[in-house]
Amino acid sequence: MAIFQKLATGPMAVHELAGTLPVSRPAVSQHLRVLKDAGLVSDSKRGTRRVYRVNPAGIALLRAHFDRFWAQALNAFEVSVEPHTTDTKREKYVTDRRRSSRK
Amino acid sequence: MAIFQKLATGPMAVHELAGTLPVSRPAVSQHLRVLKDAGLVSDSKRGTRRVYRVNPAGIALLRAHFDRFWAQALNAFEVSVEPHTTDTKREKYVTDRRRSSRK
DNA sequence: TTTATCCGTAAGCTATAGCTTACGGATAGT
DNA sequence: ACTATCCGTAAGCTATAGCTTACGGATAAA
């Protein structure tokens, strides 16, 4: 996130990015890789440097995803406001016992 | 997140939530606590049950936060498009050595 | 061709997010 | 009063996200 924020101030090379952050350059590289895989940033070679910039298309996609999320959440609240006889009966005795195992 | 999604389908008691998810009830309780601390859900006692529902105010806040984030990111791209003589000089020799320590 | 710079990747370590089990308190039914 | 249900919290464990160090390959400058 912090890396992404920095990139949002303009395209930067890896070592510049690392210079402004409290982590090593390889750490930054690793983060950039996942951001790139997620389509949120793009890169281009520039001499020995590799310049990264935010990718508007990826951002738009993620944003859309979130927007649907908010809509769903708020809509759910709307519905729940209607009186809606929540008549949940007591059920027949189940204590903490788990049903799915997880080694 | 999964918990929040479930809650978005309507208010629910803790044990109901846990019933639909692959984790134990206490785990759900713990998640609900952080969601509540974050102001994203609210709760109300209902007999021995505690019913949780999404909190529109908290959601709106988070949403606004994200919206500023997107705006910033996209705006940054706009700027970077202008030719902008990126004339970064080579600097004077710094290899990987870290400068901030972290025990 | 040698040396400095910039990078990515792999291996190894560590802090911790997120789980489970265990317990006790509170309410409702009998 | 006793018992079943529903819940929160604490303690302990484990998988893993995210770091560092170490290395080698590529470009640029000399």
Side-chain angles (χ1 to χ4, degrees), chain A residues 69-80:
Chain A
F69 189 69
W70 304 137
Q72 182 197 355
L74 291 175
N75 176 60
F77 183 77
E78 284 283 325
V79 173
S80 80

Side-chain angles (χ1 to χ4, degrees), chain A residues 19 21-22 28-29 34-35 41-43 52 54 57 90 95 98:
Chain A
L21 295 168
V28 173
S29 266
V34 329
L35 287 174
V41 304
S42 62
D43 61 337
Y52 285 84
V54 296
R90 260 218 179 185
T95 325
R98 300 301 336 297

Side-chain angles (χ1 to χ4, degrees), chain B residues 62-101:
Chain B
L62 185 57
R63 180 177 194 165
H65 190 74
F66 268 97
D67 278 348
R68 281 193 301 277
F69 190 70
W70 305 138
Q72 182 196 356
L74 291 175
N75 177 58
F77 183 78
E78 285 282 326
V79 174
S80 79
V81 162
E82 294 160 28
H84 197 281
T85 339
T86 309
D87 198 11
T88 325
K89 292 286 188 215
R90 254 214 184 188
E91 263 139 35
K92 201 68 189 104
Y93 223 99
V94 256
T95 326
D96 266 351
R97 297 274 160 268
R98 299 300 338 294
R99 61 224 137 309
S100 96
S101 58

Side-chain angles (χ1 to χ4, degrees), chain A residues 34-86:
Chain A
V34 329
L35 287 174
K36 187 178 171 187
D37 287 350
L40 291 175
V41 304
S42 62
D43 61 337
S44 55
K45 287 190 66 168
R46 192 75 174 162
T48 115
R49 308 186 173 180
R50 188 160 285 270
V51 177
Y52 285 84
R53 69 198 68 239
V54 296
N55 177 11
I59 294 180
L61 225 63
L62 185 56
R63 179 176 195 165
H65 191 73
F66 269 97
D67 279 348
R68 280 194 298 278
F69 189 69
W70 304 137
Q72 182 197 355
L74 291 175
N75 176 60
F77 183 77
E78 284 283 325
V79 173
S80 80
V81 161
E82 293 159 29
H84 196 281
T85 339
T86 308

